[in-house]
Amino acid sequence: MYSANHWGGSFEIAMDGASEDDDSRNMDVDPGAVSARQHHHELDETQQGWLLGPPEAKKKNRHVDLGCVVVKRKVLWSAFWGLVAGFVVVGLPVIISKSIPRKIPRPPPPDQYTEALHKALLFFNAQKSGRLSRNNGVPWRGNSGLKDGFDAKDVKGGLVGGYYDAGDNIKFHFPMAFSMTLLSWSVIEHSAKYKAVGEYDHVRELIKWGTDYLLRTFNSSASTIGHVYAQVGAAKIKSKTPDDHYCWNRPEDMAYPRPSLSVTTAPDLGGEIAAALAAASIAFRDDAAYSKKLVHGAATMYEFAIRGSGNQQSTTYSMHRPEIEPFYNSTSYWDEHVWSAAWMYYATGNSSYIAAATRPELAEDAKAFYDILDFSVFSWDNKLPGADLLLSRLRMFLNPGYPYEESLAGYHKATGLDMCKCFRRFAAFNFTRGGLALFNHGRGQPLQYVVANSFLAALYADYLEAVNVPGWYCGPNFMSTEDLRAFARSQLDYILGDNPRKMSYVVGYGNRYPRRVHHRGASTPRNGVKYSCTGGYRWRDTRKADPNVLTGAMVGGPDRRDRFNDSRMAFGQTEPTLVGNAGLVAALVAVTSSGRGVGVSAVDKNSMFSAVPPMFPARPPPPPAWKP
């Protein structure tokens, strides 16, 4: 009897017949060897548990199901720690660097042009007439000309203020107005540079001193006027009676008659005063009340200037005036008409002014598109190159098209030709051996012409840069914007000391500069003595250096052979002028690198057009949304 098997089946492990035969044949063989030759028999897990005991524990790879992919947990941890390491190595330093307050980038250090600019502006402080403030900056100057214009009964308070023109004590309104136009133009284009070098408020104060005075020279509150005052003070050639040339007095000591000269026909003077007031109104756009006052005065003066122009009776303001003609004789007034009309358009946005400036008949009268050498020289007597560039600006930046395109294209072409004539390689003008351009053909006062045209060259380069144009063609020769700037810098470098004499022609700049300037105020000591009309001759004729340094004054300049006579009697070389320093200031601020690289672009493209309406009609509003 067998024990009961409650699970069913036999307790014995069954073996097939072949195994029994093998066992019987190999009874005397090593059981281990026999078992090795036997057919391998797989055991299930239950049997292995009975016979072999529990299996060794095996390490299993753990996995994480990410939904779209199954990833080993080890790989996932490696990726996580890699991200942590990347954050520590890369992200953390970036966060720290971003959290540290950044220093505001500083502008480049002042270059030689900026240093000269600071001094050149001081010259205007020394030329002021009227009641001066305590912080005028020129300690040897005081109140003067407080009775100017008292013979002008129609001017309330007289003609007190303004600027003395040069080394004498006359106030010539024609070059004074041009000087204010130049300063205002430089402020409009380069206000950011003026701010960067700390001269913005100063230059605007100088402009306002001039424009306040110009508004007194006529009834600026009226809409129609019949005359304008052309100058205060007078002199005649080889005069033997006390006047502003015969006497050698400080402005504070003047005791001779100073007449106020008015003119009833002034198409040139009127046009320049209108341009000066219009340009200043743009420079003072942030002062709405003053800007409006300037615009009104400019409009009144412009109407006076163009009244009767072109008829046989119309003459220049200086014709047959012996007190004016030998000094600031205007050779034409058509250039002032183009010049003033352009400025009036920019100041007001009134299309009648741009229509006048681009009128073909006006261009013909002004000979604006004629290839005449001297018409390409910018000066107090010839505004055509400035008008060419001013109208080219409109075409380059706004491109108004019809009906102005043909005329504007002509002015733009004229600008290109004007610039080509600046280069020595084209031999339009002679140059000294030291490299100074002789725009006035070797006559006296060469530097005032050099700086005015250097300003236009640098400004045209800025315009080209602003519209991303690398240059223009002079015939088959391509000239780059850098060529223009190099020309302007070469002329200023010459003036500041890079010349055969190694001499600066700006008083107070450098170690060697003119010491005997043809200037009454600079040459006469302020020692409490009031010298008579002829008593000041001792200071004019002495070879001693000036007791008062006329800081920033640019003198007339050397001759065609780079020679310079530092003598008060050589007034063509040693006398400074208002227009000369205005051109110098404009050229210096145009070429200086101070302020560039800290958000200051080449020019301010928009301020000039602040009053100009859109050239094209605005887009109509979209139609209202359709509703069912």
Side-chain angles (χ1 to χ4, degrees):
M1 297 291 295
Y2 293 100
S3 301
N5 182 4
H6 301 287
W7 299 97
S10 170
F11 283 115
E12 297 179 0
I13 299 175
M15 309 228 0
D16 55 18
S19 299
E20 291 180 357
D21 292 339
D22 291 338
D23 290 341
S24 60
R25 284 193 302 268
N26 299 292
M27 291 296 293
D28 57 343
V29 181
D30 181 22
V34 173
S35 64
R37 292 193 301 268
Q38 289 177 340
H39 175 71
H40 179 68
H41 181 72
E42 296 269 345
L43 303 178
D44 60 27
E45 290 184 1
T46 303
Q47 292 171 337
Q48 288 179 10
W50 294 341
L51 301 179
L52 303 177
E56 294 182 2
K58 292 183 179 180
K59 293 182 180 180
K60 293 184 178 180
N61 290 326
R62 299 181 180 181
H63 298 78
V64 176
D65 189 350
L66 298 179
C68 59
V69 65
V70 178
V71 181
K72 289 183 177 181
R73 188 179 298 272
K74 184 177 180 181
V75 173
L76 196 62
W77 276 108
S78 299
F80 171 75
W81 288 113
L83 289 175
V84 172
F87 173 77
V88 172
V89 174
V90 179
L92 195 59
V94 171
I95 293 174
I96 294 174
S97 65
K98 293 287 185 181
S99 62
I100 298 175
R102 288 191 173 188
K103 293 183 179 180
I104 300 175
R106 295 181 178 180
D111 53 22
Q112 62 172 335
Y113 308 118
T114 298
E115 295 176 9
L117 176 65
H118 293 311
K119 297 181 182 297
L121 286 169
L122 278 176
F123 172 73
F124 291 90
N125 294 71
Q127 293 300 103
K128 283 182 178 179
S129 177
R131 195 174 298 278
L132 307 184
S133 63
R134 292 183 177 180
N135 60 347
N136 185 51
V138 184
W140 47 270
R141 281 300 322 279
N143 299 333
S144 64
L146 300 182
K147 294 183 179 180
D148 284 352
F150 272 55
D151 56 337
K153 303 301 181 183
D154 59 327
V155 180
K156 185 179 180 180
L159 293 169
V160 178
Y163 292 97
Y164 300 116
D165 176 66
D168 52 30
N169 299 329
I170 302 177
K171 295 189 292 193
F172 289 104
H173 300 166
F174 191 43
M176 186 193 303
F178 179 61
S179 300
M180 296 305 104
T181 310
L182 276 184
L183 290 182
S184 294
W185 195 2
S186 72
V187 169
I188 294 166
E189 303 287 11
H190 299 298
S191 60
K193 283 188 178 181
Y194 275 114
K195 292 175 182 177
V197 301
E199 291 287 0
Y200 182 68
D201 293 335
H202 183 199
V203 69
R204 294 219 311 173
E205 183 270 327
L206 296 175
I207 295 170
K208 191 174 187 298
W209 187 272
T211 52
D212 282 349
Y213 177 76
L214 292 175
L215 288 171
R216 299 189 193 107
T217 63
F218 65 101
N219 187 359
S220 58
S221 61
S223 299
T224 304
I225 59 173
H227 69 278
V228 61
Y229 286 93
Q231 71 184 56
V232 176
K236 294 183 179 180
I237 301 298
K238 297 182 179 180
S239 172
K240 297 300 181 182
T241 59
D243 63 20
D244 279 284
H245 277 186
Y246 181 73
C247 298
W248 193 270
N249 292 125
R250 297 171 62 242
E252 293 81 358
D253 299 338
M254 293 183 298
Y256 46 81
R258 287 172 55 80
S260 304
L261 305 182
S262 68
V263 291
T264 56
T265 300
D268 33 22
L269 170 63
E272 189 54 61
I273 292 178
L277 298 178
S281 74
I282 303 172
F284 285 92
R285 187 70 69 184
D286 57 340
D287 186 344
Y290 189 60
S291 180
K292 183 178 179 180
K293 183 179 181 180
L294 291 169
V295 167
H296 183 273
T300 299
M301 183 54 69
Y302 180 82
E303 293 302 319
F304 172 74
I306 67 173
R307 187 186 309 155
S309 294
N311 60 36
Q312 294 181 353
Q313 288 75 34
S314 185
T315 61
T316 62
Y317 91 107
S318 57
M319 185 174 288
H320 307 309
R321 301 301 298 261
E323 307 91 342
I324 306 173
E325 204 168 19
F327 309 107
Y328 286 100
N329 179 46
S330 176
T331 55
S332 172
Y333 53 77
W334 296 113
D335 54 325
E336 277 85 16
H337 281 196
V338 183
W339 174 246
S340 60
W343 278 114
M344 290 301 298
Y345 176 63
Y346 289 138
T348 65
N350 189 326
S351 60
S352 66
Y353 293 118
I354 190 61
T358 57
R359 188 166 54 88
E361 294 80 7
L362 178 57
E364 178 65 24
D365 289 335
K367 297 181 174 56
F369 304 151
Y370 286 42
D371 189 11
I372 301 175
L373 183 61
D374 285 346
F375 281 13
S376 65
V377 180
F378 191 38
S379 71
W380 59 266
D381 185 36
N382 178 37
K383 315 300 166 39
L384 274 179
D388 292 342
L389 183 56
L390 198 60
L391 290 170
S392 297
R393 189 189 207 280
L394 180 64
R395 183 173 189 255
M396 296 172 71
F397 291 171
L398 295 187
N399 192 19
Y402 181 83
Y404 312 116
E405 172 57 26
E406 184 176 356
S407 183
L408 291 179
Y411 286 113
H412 196 174
K413 180 181 178 181
T415 291
L417 291 174
D418 292 341
M419 298 302 158
C420 293
K421 293 173 185 176
C422 290
F423 296 107
R424 192 171 191 169
R425 62 188 292 187
F426 300 126
F429 292 95
N430 291 326
F431 282 68
T432 68
R433 288 188 176 182
L436 183 69
L438 297 175
F439 289 120
N440 70 335
H441 309 294
R443 294 187 290 268
Q445 294 285 335
L447 297 187
Q448 65 172 266
Y449 300 91
V450 167
V451 292
N453 290 276
S454 295
F455 168 59
L456 292 191
L459 190 56
Y460 188 48
D462 288 342
Y463 287 176
L464 291 172
E465 178 185 325
V467 294
N468 296 317
V469 174
W472 84 108
Y473 279 93
C474 293
N477 303 283
F478 180 77
M479 309 303 293
S480 69
T481 56
E482 183 51 36
D483 292 328
L484 271 179
R485 290 196 176 101
F487 163 76
R489 286 194 298 265
S490 71
Q491 298 304 293
L492 290 173
D493 291 346
Y494 182 103
I495 293 170
L496 297 180
D498 187 11
N499 54 64
R501 292 181 59 87
K502 302 303 178 185
M503 182 176 191
S504 164
Y505 293 110
V506 176
V507 177
Y509 181 86
N511 297 322
R512 189 182 182 196
Y513 52 82
R515 305 284 179 166
R516 301 162 190 87
V517 181
H518 183 90
H519 191 275
R520 287 159 174 77
S523 63
T524 307
R526 188 181 185 184
N527 55 9
V529 178
K530 186 174 181 178
Y531 295 95
S532 66
C533 173
T534 57
Y537 286 1
R538 59 176 295 192
W539 304 113
R540 181 195 66 183
D541 300 335
T542 181
R543 292 190 57 81
K544 293 182 179 179
D546 295 329
N548 306 313
V549 179
L550 189 60
T551 302
M554 184 184 74
V555 297
D559 64 13
R560 66 178 66 202
R561 294 180 177 83
D562 299 304
R563 297 175 303 189
F564 180 76
N565 182 13
D566 189 8
S567 168
R568 295 183 189 90
M569 302 307 292
F571 56 86
Q573 293 190 332
T574 61
E575 186 173 20
T577 63
L578 210 62
V579 292
N581 261 70
L584 175 64
V585 167
L588 287 171
V589 76
V591 302
T592 181
S593 61
S594 296
R596 295 298 295 269
V598 289
V600 178
S601 59
V603 290
D604 183 344
K605 294 174 62 175
N606 300 316
S607 292
M608 183 76 80
F609 303 127
S610 57
V612 176
M615 290 292 178
F616 306 101
R619 292 183 179 180
W626 181 82
K627 294 183 180 180

